[in-house]
């Protein structure tokens, strides 16, 4: 399929099948539970690193990827000042 890309005869069917399988996986309770735990852990790690950065300087920018930690600045998104 790589040779033809989206021009392969069964491209749409394969893409549809893949999206359907991914959705089923995403909705599985264990996968959803894992992703929630992963997000919560990342939030804790973001808080820790921001506190560590702030001990050095309030001007240190920490990229968190979490809009909760964003401050009004020129970061654009996903970064925070200590």
């Amino acid at each position: 399929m790589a040779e033809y890309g989206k021009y392969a005869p069964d491209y749409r069917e394969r893409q549809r099948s893949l999206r359907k399988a991914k959705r089923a996986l995403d909705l599985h309770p264990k996968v959803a539970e894992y992703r929630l735990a992963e997000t919560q852990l990342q939030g804790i790690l973001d808080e820790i690193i921001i506190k560590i950065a702030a001990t050095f300087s309030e001007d240190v920018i920490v990229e968190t990827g979490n809009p909760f930690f964003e401050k009004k600045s020129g970061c654009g998104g996903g970064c925070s000042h200590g």
Side-chain angles (χ1 to χ4, degrees):
M1 192 157 114
E3 304 85 35
Y4 302 108
K6 66 181 180 179
Y7 300 106
D10 58 349
Y11 175 79
R12 285 188 177 182
E13 291 79 22
R14 287 183 182 226
Q15 287 296 319
R16 192 172 296 129
S17 175
L18 180 63
R19 283 192 300 273
K20 193 174 187 179
K22 183 182 181 317
R23 179 162 173 75
L25 180 65
D26 289 342
L27 294 176
H28 189 280
K30 290 289 183 184
V31 173
E33 182 182 331
Y34 172 80
R35 291 202 175 145
L36 177 61
E38 182 180 36
T39 301
Q40 290 171 339
L41 174 60
Q42 186 61 53
I44 293 168
L45 295 173
D46 290 346
E47 287 182 48
I48 292 169
I49 197 68
I50 288 170
K51 288 179 182 180
I52 290 171
T55 63
F56 292 100
S57 170
E58 291 293 322
D59 295 326
V60 172
I61 296 174
V62 177
E63 293 190 25
T64 64
N66 185 341
F68 175 76
F69 292 110
E70 279 186 46
K71 288 189 176 180
K72 303 284 183 199
S73 70
C75 288
C79 61
S80 175
H81 291 275

